[in-house]
Amino acid sequence: MEKSTVHLTETLSPELRDRILARLEEERTEPAYRLLTPSALRQLGTIHSTGDPIVSLYLELTPERRLKDAWHVAFKDLVRAKLDTIEDRRLRDHVAGELERIEMALKEGLPAMGRGVAFFVCESLGLWRQIALPIPLPDRLELASTPYTRPLVRTRDEHDRFAVALLSREHSRFFISQIGYVEEVLTLTGPKLRGLVTDWIDWNQRDDIELQLLHQEGKALATIAALVFQQFEARYLLFSAPEKLKPSFLEHLPKAIREQVGGEFEVDVHAPVHQVAEAIEPVQRAVEAREEVRTLERIQESLPERGVWGAEHVIDAINQRRVMTVAVDDAFQVAGGYCAHCDLLVLDASKPCPACGNPVEAESDIIDRALEMALAQDATIELVRSEAARTLMAQHAPMGALLRF
């Protein structure tokens, strides 16, 4: 993927700001493997086909799957199993064609990073989305009038979206990231300030001029970091900057973003993306653990009026549209049922819906649907993955929630 490059020769003008925003928007919409942003997920939720079905494919890309194209065997098995269930010949031929397009894209290149991939495809709608996933999701192939996005709730951790700024006085790079996946979205090049001040500035004025230039460049880079942060709906900002540039950069960050600085890291400014990912991962893990523990502590402190522990209590609160934050061990699963008529979850699928009395649809695991319903209520999700938070959660239950009322 070709990233955007901008030559920075002055502080950020309105024209340059608009140009950067336009390029960032292009980065969000171009048909390549992309990190899923909340806005992109919301957009998928608005798509509906009244004709040909939308093909939704999830495929794990663990290190084992990448060896000797092992992913291709799994893909072929998925395709064969799905096509065998389609009796209508025209529909089967159409779906086979869509899957051939996906297969060609996978053969042309897997995402360089990440643990999985998702495709959402419908040629008649002009729909083509290739999404790199930071975590492995179970292989799945669905045909429906809307994109099948429920598994993506596992990528919606409240504290797992980072904007990353790798700064220098001659060359600066900006990334978006979830733990395990990093995507470069913007590169900035500028004048070599050291050469400028030594070539034509009086030695007696050198320090003052250099400070002024550092101030201007720090302000411009802070503005651009804020644009990236906001455009990709990040939760935290990580940065690396020379000591002389750091004060001005931090000073000019908007206050709300400055409060979300998650930490610093060190890596060569020209390092390949995978080295940037390695450099920032310890900082990301520390942020994740800190915020997970903080959420669990808030639940415990809010008992019993505004906090609950246990799947039964959390499911009940989701049914009542009361949840504000749901925290769940990412490995936790529980069987149950769902009533589509009442949009209610139950833990005992052998009993009728408590609201309408109709039979419920049994599901082997209702956690993803519960998280999907919570997100639809504008709740936030905390997927607990750190050892520190799991140890704390083991004292209570694998699922808890903060309540609105």
Side-chain angles (χ1 to χ4, degrees), residues 10-62:
E10 57 184 356
T11 55
L12 206 63
S13 65
E15 294 78 12
L16 181 56
R17 180 183 183 278
D18 290 344
R19 185 151 53 96
I20 291 171
L21 278 172
R23 293 194 178 188
L24 288 175
E25 186 62 31
E26 290 174 7
E27 288 297 316
R28 293 176 57 177
T29 58
E30 68 176 8
Y33 291 111
R34 310 318 311 268
L35 182 67
L36 183 70
T37 62
S39 61
L41 183 56
R42 289 193 296 269
Q43 185 184 43
L44 281 172
T46 67
I47 298 173
H48 183 272
S49 175
T50 58
D52 295 330
I54 295 171
V55 177
S56 301
L57 170 76
Y58 294 85
L59 194 66
E60 288 190 26
L61 289 178
T62 57

Tab-separated table of all heavy atoms in Angstrom, residues 10-62:
chain	number	residue	atom	x	y	z
A	10	GLU	N	6.495	24.703	6.349
A	10	GLU	CA	6.058	25.800	7.201
A	10	GLU	C	5.046	25.262	8.196
A	10	GLU	O	4.675	24.096	8.147
A	10	GLU	CB	5.414	26.910	6.354
A	10	GLU	CG	4.233	26.421	5.523
A	10	GLU	CD	3.675	27.500	4.621
A	10	GLU	OE1	4.170	28.628	4.706
A	10	GLU	OE2	2.751	27.217	3.877
A	11	THR	N	4.628	26.079	9.111
A	11	THR	CA	3.597	25.642	10.037
A	11	THR	C	2.323	25.346	9.258
A	11	THR	O	2.157	25.760	8.122
A	11	THR	CB	3.314	26.732	11.087
A	11	THR	OG1	2.991	27.957	10.422
A	11	THR	CG2	4.523	26.934	11.976
A	12	LEU	N	1.425	24.632	9.884
A	12	LEU	CA	0.283	24.068	9.173
A	12	LEU	C	-0.691	25.161	8.742
A	12	LEU	O	-1.373	25.767	9.562
A	12	LEU	CB	-0.422	23.058	10.084
A	12	LEU	CG	-1.200	21.957	9.402
A	12	LEU	CD1	-0.274	21.078	8.580
A	12	LEU	CD2	-1.923	21.114	10.433
A	13	SER	N	-0.787	25.385	7.444
A	13	SER	CA	-1.735	26.342	6.900
A	13	SER	C	-3.087	25.658	6.736
A	13	SER	O	-3.179	24.431	6.694
A	13	SER	CB	-1.253	26.844	5.540
A	13	SER	OG	-1.239	25.773	4.607
A	14	PRO	N	-4.183	26.428	6.607
A	14	PRO	CA	-5.485	25.806	6.365
A	14	PRO	C	-5.488	24.939	5.107
A	14	PRO	O	-6.123	23.879	5.073
A	14	PRO	CB	-6.419	27.012	6.216
A	14	PRO	CG	-5.757	28.101	7.001
A	14	PRO	CD	-4.285	27.880	6.796
A	15	GLU	N	-4.760	25.374	4.066
A	15	GLU	CA	-4.713	24.592	2.821
A	15	GLU	C	-4.010	23.258	3.040
A	15	GLU	O	-4.458	22.216	2.563
A	15	GLU	CB	-3.994	25.396	1.729
A	15	GLU	CG	-4.734	26.653	1.274
A	15	GLU	CD	-4.596	27.811	2.255
A	15	GLU	OE1	-3.751	27.723	3.184
A	15	GLU	OE2	-5.334	28.804	2.102
A	16	LEU	N	-2.887	23.286	3.778
A	16	LEU	CA	-2.158	22.052	4.049
A	16	LEU	C	-2.988	21.133	4.948
A	16	LEU	O	-3.014	19.917	4.750
A	16	LEU	CB	-0.820	22.361	4.705
A	16	LEU	CG	0.087	21.157	5.031
A	16	LEU	CD1	0.354	20.332	3.777
A	16	LEU	CD2	1.383	21.622	5.658
A	17	ARG	N	-3.665	21.723	5.913
A	17	ARG	CA	-4.523	20.919	6.791
A	17	ARG	C	-5.595	20.203	5.983
A	17	ARG	O	-5.846	19.007	6.171
A	17	ARG	CB	-5.170	21.825	7.849
A	17	ARG	CG	-6.080	21.086	8.825
A	17	ARG	CD	-6.734	22.085	9.779
A	17	ARG	NE	-7.545	21.413	10.773
A	17	ARG	CZ	-8.777	21.001	10.572
A	17	ARG	NH1	-9.346	21.174	9.380
A	17	ARG	NH2	-9.463	20.400	11.531
A	18	ASP	N	-6.243	20.908	5.065
A	18	ASP	CA	-7.288	20.301	4.237
A	18	ASP	C	-6.714	19.204	3.341
A	18	ASP	O	-7.353	18.176	3.113
A	18	ASP	CB	-7.971	21.369	3.375
A	18	ASP	CG	-8.826	22.323	4.201
A	18	ASP	OD1	-9.131	21.994	5.360
A	18	ASP	OD2	-9.158	23.412	3.689
A	19	ARG	N	-5.491	19.423	2.837
A	19	ARG	CA	-4.869	18.431	1.968
A	19	ARG	C	-4.552	17.153	2.749
A	19	ARG	O	-4.751	16.044	2.269
A	19	ARG	CB	-3.599	19.027	1.347
A	19	ARG	CG	-2.923	18.123	0.331
A	19	ARG	CD	-2.182	18.949	-0.705
A	19	ARG	NE	-1.273	19.896	-0.103
A	19	ARG	CZ	0.032	19.670	0.075
A	19	ARG	NH1	0.543	18.512	-0.279
A	19	ARG	NH2	0.807	20.590	0.608
A	20	ILE	N	-4.072	17.333	3.983
A	20	ILE	CA	-3.777	16.167	4.813
A	20	ILE	C	-5.055	15.413	5.158
A	20	ILE	O	-5.110	14.178	5.110
A	20	ILE	CB	-3.028	16.595	6.085
A	20	ILE	CG1	-1.622	17.063	5.717
A	20	ILE	CG2	-2.963	15.465	7.101
A	20	ILE	CD1	-0.875	17.709	6.850
A	21	LEU	N	-6.110	16.146	5.483
A	21	LEU	CA	-7.390	15.491	5.787
A	21	LEU	C	-7.899	14.700	4.583
A	21	LEU	O	-8.415	13.587	4.731
A	21	LEU	CB	-8.433	16.530	6.208
A	21	LEU	CG	-8.384	16.973	7.670
A	21	LEU	CD1	-9.341	18.132	7.892
A	21	LEU	CD2	-8.734	15.815	8.589
A	22	ALA	N	-7.751	15.278	3.381
A	22	ALA	CA	-8.191	14.584	2.182
A	22	ALA	C	-7.408	13.295	1.977
A	22	ALA	O	-7.966	12.247	1.618
A	22	ALA	CB	-8.057	15.496	0.962
A	23	ARG	N	-6.108	13.346	2.222
A	23	ARG	CA	-5.295	12.142	2.045
A	23	ARG	C	-5.595	11.100	3.106
A	23	ARG	O	-5.589	9.900	2.831
A	23	ARG	CB	-3.810	12.509	2.054
A	23	ARG	CG	-3.422	13.353	0.847
A	23	ARG	CD	-1.930	13.427	0.661
A	23	ARG	NE	-1.610	14.197	-0.540
A	23	ARG	CZ	-0.391	14.305	-1.034
A	23	ARG	NH1	0.611	13.686	-0.453
A	23	ARG	NH2	-0.168	15.018	-2.116
A	24	LEU	N	-5.864	11.549	4.317
A	24	LEU	CA	-6.253	10.597	5.349
A	24	LEU	C	-7.586	9.943	5.012
A	24	LEU	O	-7.796	8.756	5.265
A	24	LEU	CB	-6.333	11.294	6.710
A	24	LEU	CG	-5.000	11.697	7.336
A	24	LEU	CD1	-5.238	12.483	8.614
A	24	LEU	CD2	-4.134	10.484	7.615
A	25	GLU	N	-8.498	10.695	4.438
A	25	GLU	CA	-9.783	10.123	4.027
A	25	GLU	C	-9.571	9.088	2.931
A	25	GLU	O	-10.220	8.034	2.925
A	25	GLU	CB	-10.721	11.229	3.539
A	25	GLU	CG	-12.130	10.742	3.224
A	25	GLU	CD	-12.827	10.172	4.438
A	25	GLU	OE1	-12.555	10.630	5.570
A	25	GLU	OE2	-13.645	9.246	4.264
A	26	GLU	N	-8.650	9.366	2.004
A	26	GLU	CA	-8.330	8.369	0.981
A	26	GLU	C	-7.789	7.101	1.622
A	26	GLU	O	-8.121	5.993	1.205
A	26	GLU	CB	-7.283	8.936	0.008
A	26	GLU	CG	-7.811	10.040	-0.889
A	26	GLU	CD	-6.698	10.667	-1.721
A	26	GLU	OE1	-5.564	10.132	-1.670
A	26	GLU	OE2	-6.949	11.669	-2.401
A	27	GLU	N	-6.956	7.258	2.653
A	27	GLU	CA	-6.395	6.096	3.333
A	27	GLU	C	-7.488	5.257	3.968
A	27	GLU	O	-7.371	4.041	4.091
A	27	GLU	CB	-5.407	6.543	4.414
A	27	GLU	CG	-4.117	7.097	3.869
A	27	GLU	CD	-3.341	6.060	3.082
A	27	GLU	OE1	-3.248	4.920	3.541
A	27	GLU	OE2	-2.851	6.396	2.006
A	28	ARG	N	-8.592	5.907	4.387
A	28	ARG	CA	-9.663	5.166	5.034
A	28	ARG	C	-10.507	4.387	4.042
A	28	ARG	O	-11.138	3.405	4.405
A	28	ARG	CB	-10.567	6.129	5.810
A	28	ARG	CG	-9.921	6.773	6.995
A	28	ARG	CD	-10.831	7.781	7.657
A	28	ARG	NE	-12.102	7.187	8.059
A	28	ARG	CZ	-13.043	7.864	8.716
A	28	ARG	NH1	-12.862	9.111	9.039
A	28	ARG	NH2	-14.171	7.277	9.044
A	29	THR	N	-10.554	4.810	2.786
A	29	THR	CA	-11.539	4.247	1.864
A	29	THR	C	-10.940	3.435	0.725
A	29	THR	O	-11.669	2.767	0.015
A	29	THR	CB	-12.392	5.379	1.259
A	29	THR	OG1	-11.544	6.319	0.591
A	29	THR	CG2	-13.171	6.117	2.342
A	30	GLU	N	-9.630	3.467	0.512
A	30	GLU	CA	-9.073	2.759	-0.629
A	30	GLU	C	-9.250	1.243	-0.448
A	30	GLU	O	-9.253	0.718	0.665
A	30	GLU	CB	-7.599	3.108	-0.832
A	30	GLU	CG	-6.698	2.595	0.267
A	30	GLU	CD	-5.247	2.894	-0.054
A	30	GLU	OE1	-4.982	3.613	-1.028
A	30	GLU	OE2	-4.386	2.392	0.690
A	31	PRO	N	-9.450	0.478	-1.543
A	31	PRO	CA	-9.729	-0.952	-1.437
A	31	PRO	C	-8.474	-1.784	-1.200
A	31	PRO	O	-7.950	-2.438	-2.090
A	31	PRO	CB	-10.359	-1.269	-2.799
A	31	PRO	CG	-9.725	-0.283	-3.738
A	31	PRO	CD	-9.527	0.975	-2.924
A	32	ALA	N	-7.951	-1.753	0.015
A	32	ALA	CA	-6.790	-2.544	0.392
A	32	ALA	C	-7.045	-3.077	1.792
A	32	ALA	O	-8.054	-2.771	2.405
A	32	ALA	CB	-5.530	-1.685	0.349
A	33	TYR	N	-6.148	-3.903	2.289
A	33	TYR	CA	-6.305	-4.379	3.659
A	33	TYR	C	-6.203	-3.201	4.608
A	33	TYR	O	-5.215	-2.478	4.615
A	33	TYR	CB	-5.222	-5.407	3.984
A	33	TYR	CG	-5.366	-6.701	3.247
A	33	TYR	CD1	-4.472	-7.070	2.261
A	33	TYR	CD2	-6.414	-7.571	3.544
A	33	TYR	CE1	-4.595	-8.266	1.585
A	33	TYR	CE2	-6.555	-8.775	2.866
A	33	TYR	CZ	-5.643	-9.119	1.891
A	33	TYR	OH	-5.772	-10.313	1.220
A	34	ARG	N	-7.233	-3.011	5.416
A	34	ARG	CA	-7.269	-1.863	6.305
A	34	ARG	C	-7.546	-2.312	7.731
A	34	ARG	O	-8.155	-3.348	7.968
A	34	ARG	CB	-8.361	-0.860	5.905
A	34	ARG	CG	-8.378	-0.440	4.457
A	34	ARG	CD	-7.012	-0.167	3.881
A	34	ARG	NE	-6.208	0.701	4.695
A	34	ARG	CZ	-6.158	2.015	4.552
A	34	ARG	NH1	-6.851	2.602	3.619
A	34	ARG	NH2	-5.396	2.744	5.327
A	35	LEU	N	-7.094	-1.513	8.680
A	35	LEU	CA	-7.487	-1.703	10.060
A	35	LEU	C	-8.921	-1.203	10.209
A	35	LEU	O	-9.268	-0.134	9.707
A	35	LEU	CB	-6.554	-0.907	10.971
A	35	LEU	CG	-6.777	-1.027	12.469
A	35	LEU	CD1	-6.461	-2.445	12.940
A	35	LEU	CD2	-5.897	-0.035	13.211
A	36	LEU	N	-9.749	-1.965	10.876
A	36	LEU	CA	-11.154	-1.601	11.017
A	36	LEU	C	-11.304	-0.479	12.035
A	36	LEU	O	-10.936	-0.626	13.199
A	36	LEU	CB	-11.976	-2.808	11.462
A	36	LEU	CG	-13.484	-2.568	11.570
A	36	LEU	CD1	-14.092	-2.387	10.191
A	36	LEU	CD2	-14.151	-3.726	12.292
A	37	THR	N	-11.837	0.656	11.604
A	37	THR	CA	-12.128	1.761	12.508
A	37	THR	C	-13.598	1.718	12.898
A	37	THR	O	-14.422	1.130	12.200
A	37	THR	CB	-11.823	3.110	11.834
A	37	THR	OG1	-12.671	3.253	10.682
A	37	THR	CG2	-10.368	3.200	11.405
A	38	PRO	N	-13.966	2.353	14.010
A	38	PRO	CA	-15.383	2.395	14.388
A	38	PRO	C	-16.272	2.976	13.283
A	38	PRO	O	-17.384	2.491	13.065
A	38	PRO	CB	-15.379	3.287	15.632
A	38	PRO	CG	-14.033	3.064	16.236
A	38	PRO	CD	-13.098	2.932	15.056
A	39	SER	N	-15.791	3.999	12.583
A	39	SER	CA	-16.613	4.590	11.526
A	39	SER	C	-16.811	3.611	10.375
A	39	SER	O	-17.893	3.547	9.772
A	39	SER	CB	-15.976	5.887	11.015
A	39	SER	OG	-14.692	5.636	10.473
A	40	ALA	N	-15.769	2.821	10.052
A	40	ALA	CA	-15.912	1.832	8.980
A	40	ALA	C	-16.894	0.742	9.376
A	40	ALA	O	-17.676	0.263	8.543
A	40	ALA	CB	-14.550	1.218	8.661
A	41	LEU	N	-16.891	0.349	10.637
A	41	LEU	CA	-17.851	-0.650	11.109
A	41	LEU	C	-19.269	-0.091	11.063
A	41	LEU	O	-20.207	-0.794	10.669
A	41	LEU	CB	-17.490	-1.094	12.528
A	41	LEU	CG	-18.367	-2.191	13.137
A	41	LEU	CD1	-18.401	-3.427	12.251
A	41	LEU	CD2	-17.886	-2.546	14.534
A	42	ARG	N	-19.418	1.168	11.443
A	42	ARG	CA	-20.750	1.784	11.362
A	42	ARG	C	-21.233	1.832	9.916
A	42	ARG	O	-22.422	1.604	9.637
A	42	ARG	CB	-20.713	3.193	11.959
A	42	ARG	CG	-20.550	3.225	13.472
A	42	ARG	CD	-20.832	4.614	14.021
A	42	ARG	NE	-19.881	5.598	13.546
A	42	ARG	CZ	-18.745	5.912	14.168
A	42	ARG	NH1	-18.420	5.292	15.294
A	42	ARG	NH2	-17.941	6.830	13.690
A	43	GLN	N	-20.326	2.127	8.997
A	43	GLN	CA	-20.693	2.180	7.582
A	43	GLN	C	-21.150	0.808	7.089
A	43	GLN	O	-22.135	0.699	6.348
A	43	GLN	CB	-19.525	2.683	6.748
A	43	GLN	CG	-19.867	2.871	5.271
A	43	GLN	CD	-18.658	3.273	4.456
A	43	GLN	OE1	-17.571	2.732	4.636
A	43	GLN	NE2	-18.831	4.228	3.557
A	44	LEU	N	-20.452	-0.247	7.491
A	44	LEU	CA	-20.868	-1.596	7.105
A	44	LEU	C	-22.283	-1.881	7.591
A	44	LEU	O	-23.052	-2.575	6.920
A	44	LEU	CB	-19.899	-2.632	7.674
A	44	LEU	CG	-18.568	-2.825	6.941
A	44	LEU	CD1	-17.652	-3.734	7.755
A	44	LEU	CD2	-18.792	-3.390	5.550
A	45	GLY	N	-22.625	-1.367	8.764
A	45	GLY	CA	-23.952	-1.596	9.323
A	45	GLY	C	-25.075	-0.938	8.549
A	45	GLY	O	-26.256	-1.265	8.760
A	46	THR	N	-24.757	-0.024	7.638
A	46	THR	CA	-25.796	0.667	6.854
A	46	THR	C	-26.038	0.002	5.500
A	46	THR	O	-26.943	0.408	4.771
A	46	THR	CB	-25.397	2.128	6.610
A	46	THR	OG1	-24.236	2.175	5.750
A	46	THR	CG2	-25.094	2.837	7.918
A	47	ILE	N	-25.242	-0.999	5.146
A	47	ILE	CA	-25.314	-1.600	3.812
A	47	ILE	C	-26.370	-2.698	3.773
A	47	ILE	O	-26.420	-3.559	4.662
A	47	ILE	CB	-23.936	-2.159	3.403
A	47	ILE	CG1	-22.915	-1.022	3.331
A	47	ILE	CG2	-24.016	-2.880	2.061
A	47	ILE	CD1	-21.488	-1.493	3.106
A	48	HIS	N	-27.197	-2.677	2.737
A	48	HIS	CA	-28.261	-3.679	2.582
A	48	HIS	C	-28.447	-3.975	1.099
A	48	HIS	O	-28.491	-3.062	0.270
A	48	HIS	CB	-29.572	-3.175	3.190
A	48	HIS	CG	-30.676	-4.171	3.139
A	48	HIS	ND1	-31.535	-4.278	2.055
A	48	HIS	CD2	-31.064	-5.122	4.019
A	48	HIS	CE1	-32.402	-5.247	2.278
A	48	HIS	NE2	-32.152	-5.782	3.465
A	49	SER	N	-28.534	-5.249	0.772
A	49	SER	CA	-28.739	-5.655	-0.616
A	49	SER	C	-30.141	-6.223	-0.790
A	49	SER	O	-30.571	-7.088	-0.021
A	49	SER	CB	-27.705	-6.715	-1.017
A	49	SER	OG	-27.977	-7.196	-2.324
A	50	THR	N	-30.840	-5.748	-1.794
A	50	THR	CA	-32.165	-6.286	-2.109
A	50	THR	C	-32.096	-7.320	-3.230
A	50	THR	O	-33.122	-7.874	-3.618
A	50	THR	CB	-33.112	-5.146	-2.528
A	50	THR	OG1	-32.551	-4.465	-3.659
A	50	THR	CG2	-33.321	-4.166	-1.389
A	51	GLY	N	-30.885	-7.554	-3.728
A	51	GLY	CA	-30.708	-8.528	-4.798
A	51	GLY	C	-29.710	-9.606	-4.413
A	51	GLY	O	-29.975	-10.443	-3.552
A	52	ASP	N	-28.543	-9.580	-5.043
A	52	ASP	CA	-27.516	-10.583	-4.760
A	52	ASP	C	-27.082	-10.515	-3.301
A	52	ASP	O	-27.005	-9.432	-2.710
A	52	ASP	CB	-26.297	-10.356	-5.651
A	52	ASP	CG	-26.610	-10.573	-7.126
A	52	ASP	OD1	-27.498	-11.395	-7.411
A	52	ASP	OD2	-25.967	-9.906	-7.974
A	53	PRO	N	-26.770	-11.683	-2.703
A	53	PRO	CA	-26.345	-11.678	-1.301
A	53	PRO	C	-24.959	-11.073	-1.131
A	53	PRO	O	-24.137	-11.068	-2.049
A	53	PRO	CB	-26.338	-13.170	-0.941
A	53	PRO	CG	-26.073	-13.865	-2.243
A	53	PRO	CD	-26.779	-13.039	-3.280
A	54	ILE	N	-24.728	-10.553	0.055
A	54	ILE	CA	-23.410	-10.055	0.434
A	54	ILE	C	-22.609	-11.228	0.995
A	54	ILE	O	-23.085	-11.961	1.856
A	54	ILE	CB	-23.524	-8.924	1.464
A	54	ILE	CG1	-24.220	-7.706	0.837
A	54	ILE	CG2	-22.145	-8.532	2.005
A	54	ILE	CD1	-24.562	-6.624	1.826
A	55	VAL	N	-21.403	-11.414	0.474
A	55	VAL	CA	-20.519	-12.481	0.940
A	55	VAL	C	-19.653	-11.927	2.070
A	55	VAL	O	-18.942	-10.933	1.888
A	55	VAL	CB	-19.631	-13.014	-0.196
A	55	VAL	CG1	-18.667	-14.079	0.335
A	55	VAL	CG2	-20.481	-13.575	-1.325
A	56	SER	N	-19.728	-12.569	3.239
A	56	SER	CA	-18.901	-12.190	4.389
A	56	SER	C	-17.981	-13.356	4.720
A	56	SER	O	-18.461	-14.464	5.011
A	56	SER	CB	-19.766	-11.852	5.604
A	56	SER	OG	-20.660	-10.787	5.325
A	57	LEU	N	-16.679	-13.123	4.664
A	57	LEU	CA	-15.698	-14.181	4.894
A	57	LEU	C	-14.749	-13.779	6.015
A	57	LEU	O	-14.221	-12.669	6.019
A	57	LEU	CB	-14.886	-14.454	3.629
A	57	LEU	CG	-13.670	-15.371	3.813
A	57	LEU	CD1	-14.114	-16.826	3.945
A	57	LEU	CD2	-12.666	-15.213	2.676
A	58	TYR	N	-14.545	-14.697	6.952
A	58	TYR	CA	-13.537	-14.538	7.996
A	58	TYR	C	-12.549	-15.691	7.870
A	58	TYR	O	-12.953	-16.853	7.737
A	58	TYR	CB	-14.171	-14.568	9.387
A	58	TYR	CG	-15.077	-13.396	9.671
A	58	TYR	CD1	-16.414	-13.407	9.275
A	58	TYR	CD2	-14.593	-12.264	10.325
A	58	TYR	CE1	-17.250	-12.337	9.533
A	58	TYR	CE2	-15.422	-11.176	10.588
A	58	TYR	CZ	-16.746	-11.219	10.184
A	58	TYR	OH	-17.576	-10.151	10.435
A	59	LEU	N	-11.259	-15.366	7.923
A	59	LEU	CA	-10.240	-16.391	7.770
A	59	LEU	C	-9.090	-16.110	8.737
A	59	LEU	O	-8.542	-15.002	8.746
A	59	LEU	CB	-9.713	-16.411	6.339
A	59	LEU	CG	-8.879	-17.620	5.911
A	59	LEU	CD1	-9.724	-18.891	5.905
A	59	LEU	CD2	-8.274	-17.388	4.532
A	60	GLU	N	-8.746	-17.097	9.550
A	60	GLU	CA	-7.610	-16.944	10.457
A	60	GLU	C	-6.307	-16.903	9.658
A	60	GLU	O	-6.142	-17.645	8.690
A	60	GLU	CB	-7.552	-18.106	11.449
A	60	GLU	CG	-8.635	-18.079	12.496
A	60	GLU	CD	-8.383	-19.104	13.597
A	60	GLU	OE1	-7.209	-19.452	13.823
A	60	GLU	OE2	-9.367	-19.555	14.217
A	61	LEU	N	-5.396	-16.032	10.089
A	61	LEU	CA	-4.073	-15.960	9.476
A	61	LEU	C	-3.021	-16.008	10.573
A	61	LEU	O	-2.180	-15.115	10.700
A	61	LEU	CB	-3.925	-14.689	8.641
A	61	LEU	CG	-4.720	-14.634	7.342
A	61	LEU	CD1	-4.504	-13.300	6.643
A	61	LEU	CD2	-4.335	-15.785	6.411
A	62	THR	N	-3.078	-17.061	11.374
A	62	THR	CA	-2.067	-17.273	12.391
A	62	THR	C	-0.741	-17.594	11.708
A	62	THR	O	-0.711	-17.902	10.511
A	62	THR	CB	-2.481	-18.440	13.297
A	62	THR	OG1	-2.690	-19.599	12.476
A	62	THR	CG2	-3.765	-18.110	14.049
